[in-house]
Amino acid sequence: MRLQYQTLQTTPTPIPIPEITPAKSEIVQEVTPFTTPDPYPIIHGTRINSTPQYAFQYRQPEFSKTYTLTGNAYGLMVNVVQGPLYIRYTIEPKYDCLKDPDTCRGTVLVPVNRPYMTITVRDNQTQQIVAEDGYGREYSSDIGHYHFTGTVSSEDSSETQPYDSYPGPRYIPVYKEGQFQITIEGNYLDTTVAIITGTSPNPLDAMEKSSAGTTSTTSDDDEDW
């Protein structure tokens, strides 16, 4: 007896694949940026008197010294108990490339060594660089004490008046407390560096103390007479 087997072939039913459409709005969204809070926020107010205001970099420095850079380097250790820390500096270059560009143009036979300087501020504990600036090369050629003069005309050009401009000293701000190691290195220039911190006296306070001392001295002399 012969048995016959019949093979049943079944066709598999395809599983539908969900179509994925790129939803850009779900992948990238605009959110509120995460920002580090400013430890020294600027408080805006309305002036009610005519008392002059001084910028922070014009406070009386805790330390000031002039260095002559001839390819060497100097170091300072600053303990900032109250911030911020401002490193104010001016430059006296041997060749002023900004004021007189011809002094910095050498020849094949007579090269000119251009002045440069770098001030690096490091955290004394981590040795990480927290700020850096300088003069020449990749930095600005502003010496920090230029005096610009010129004339300005009125809208109808009927009057012309002279004007003076003092851009002011250059400075490096560090908005934190701690111990910082400052390295000053360069060549062909002299630089005057001043250290200003949150404990540096305000010029207005110094003037008031000076005037108060003068008044008390005068009153004591009057009592003697």
Side-chain angles (χ1 to χ4, degrees):
M1 183 177 180
R2 173 179 284 180
L3 298 177
Q4 296 181 354
Y5 296 93
Q6 184 176 1
T7 304
L8 298 177
Q9 296 181 355
T10 58
T11 303
T13 304
I15 301 175
I17 300 176
E19 183 179 357
I20 301 176
T21 57
K24 185 177 180 180
S25 60
E26 296 180 359
I27 297 176
V28 180
Q29 298 180 0
E30 292 185 349
V31 297
T32 303
F34 178 80
T35 58
T36 304
D38 188 358
Y40 305 99
I42 299 176
I43 302 176
H44 299 276
T46 304
R47 181 180 295 182
I48 59 177
N49 54 26
S50 59
T51 303
Q53 301 294 323
Y54 288 88
F56 192 86
Q57 65 268 22
Y58 292 104
R59 289 195 173 195
Q60 294 183 359
E62 307 279 353
F63 171 87
S64 180
K65 188 175 181 179
T66 300
Y67 298 95
T68 299
L69 299 179
T70 57
N72 53 338
Y74 295 93
L76 294 174
M77 182 70 68
V78 182
N79 184 22
V80 182
V81 179
Q82 179 181 346
L85 164 66
Y86 269 46
I87 305 169
R88 189 179 68 194
Y89 62 97
T90 56
I91 309 295
E92 291 292 346
K94 185 177 181 180
Y95 308 103
D96 194 337
C97 302
L98 186 61
K99 186 177 182 180
D100 189 2
D102 292 335
T103 59
C104 293
R105 294 172 183 169
T107 62
V108 178
L109 300 178
V110 184
V112 174
N113 297 314
R114 297 185 176 182
Y116 68 92
M117 182 188 68
T118 303
I119 299 179
T120 306
V121 185
R122 290 182 173 87
D123 189 302
N124 189 45
Q125 294 183 349
T126 63
Q127 296 301 313
Q128 292 183 352
I129 297 176
V130 297
E132 194 171 31
D133 201 353
Y135 171 84
R137 292 184 174 177
E138 68 268 31
Y139 302 109
S140 171
S141 296
D142 181 11
I143 61 176
H145 56 89
Y146 281 121
H147 177 202
F148 298 101
T149 60
T151 57
V152 57
S153 302
S154 59
E155 295 182 357
D156 56 357
S157 301
S158 60
E159 295 182 358
T160 302
Q161 296 180 353
Y163 77 91
D164 294 335
S165 176
Y166 298 89
R170 299 181 59 182
Y171 60 91
I172 303 174
V174 179
Y175 297 101
K176 59 186 299 186
E177 291 86 9
Q179 286 189 342
F180 300 97
Q181 185 176 357
I182 302 173
T183 303
I184 308 167
E185 53 187 342
N187 206 349
Y188 309 110
L189 58 83
D190 294 340
T191 179
T192 301
V193 179
I195 304 299
I196 302 171
T197 65
T199 57
S200 299
N202 191 317
L204 292 177
D205 298 337
M207 292 173 58
E208 291 178 357
K209 291 181 180 179
S210 178
S211 60
T214 304
T215 304
S216 61
T217 303
T218 304
S219 61
D220 293 342
D221 294 340
D222 293 341
E223 290 178 359
D224 294 338
W225 288 98

